[in-house]
Amino acid sequence: MAMEQTLSMIKPDGVKRGLIGEVIGRFEKQGLKIKAMKMLHLTLNQARAFYAVHKERPFYDSLTGFMSSGPIVALILEGENAIQVNRDLMGATDYRQAAPGTIRADFAKDIEANIVHGSDAPETARTEIAFFFNALEKV
Ligand code: UDP
Ligand code: MG
């Protein structure tokens, strides 16, 4: 196992539904350290840039509209195997397939509005962290 950093977002539905504390509590209980955190409202163009990897997918326009519909919280999480640990806390993309006790199984009601984002690999973690945070914003 390696010490890793990963990028997490609490999506607009998570913020609107008052789940910021619940989600961050799960990160901390699992031993993930918060190395940076901010709330911001993505523009449509910023959401499109963040999700550019999905630009050919049928859900891209809807997803980026949703992701720019309200404030989000972006965080850098750090720990042993942090990328997978965070993905395990999140649960599967489709809440109907997410394991019981995961964030998405417990709270999501929609495949698009599924509360959280988490990087899926070391290279995406690096790019996604750099998308949101500069050196001065990290502890
Ligand atoms: N998404 C969607 N419909 C789909 C698949 C994905 O609306 O059929 C949305 C959902 O919000 C998901 C995001 O697009 O979290 C990015 O998709 P990805 O496959 O990367 O899932 P994730 O890594 O977030 O689990
Ligand atoms: Mg993904």
Side-chain angles (χ1 to χ4, degrees), residues 63-136:
L63 170 65
T64 53
F66 161 63
M67 288 302 296
S68 57
S69 68
I72 60 110
V73 175
L75 310 96
I76 302 176
L77 305 176
E78 184 179 272
E80 288 287 337
N81 218 13
I83 296 168
Q84 191 58 47
V85 168
N86 180 42
R87 296 289 307 191
D88 291 346
L89 284 173
M90 290 163 60
T93 308
D94 184 344
Y95 69 100
R96 292 164 295 193
Q97 280 152 33
T102 60
I103 294 167
R104 285 165 166 173
D106 287 351
F107 300 111
K109 300 168 176 168
D110 185 85
I111 188 169
E112 177 177 271
N114 58 3
I115 317 288
V116 279
H117 166 84
S119 310
D120 61 7
E123 184 51 38
T124 47
R126 267 189 293 279
T127 341
E128 292 179 356
I129 286 170
F131 183 92
F132 280 106
F133 296 100
N134 66 41
L136 285 175

Side-chain angles (χ1 to χ4, degrees), residues 36-68:
M37 176 163 71
K38 67 170 108 172
M39 179 178 270
L40 73 162
H41 190 147
L42 293 170
T43 65
L44 178 59
N45 279 340
Q46 288 168 337
R48 290 176 74 88
F50 183 82
Y51 279 111
V53 63
H54 291 313
K55 64 177 183 297
E56 307 302 337
R57 308 286 290 278
F59 57 80
Y60 180 65
D61 284 347
S62 177
L63 170 65
T64 53
F66 161 63
M67 288 302 296
S68 57

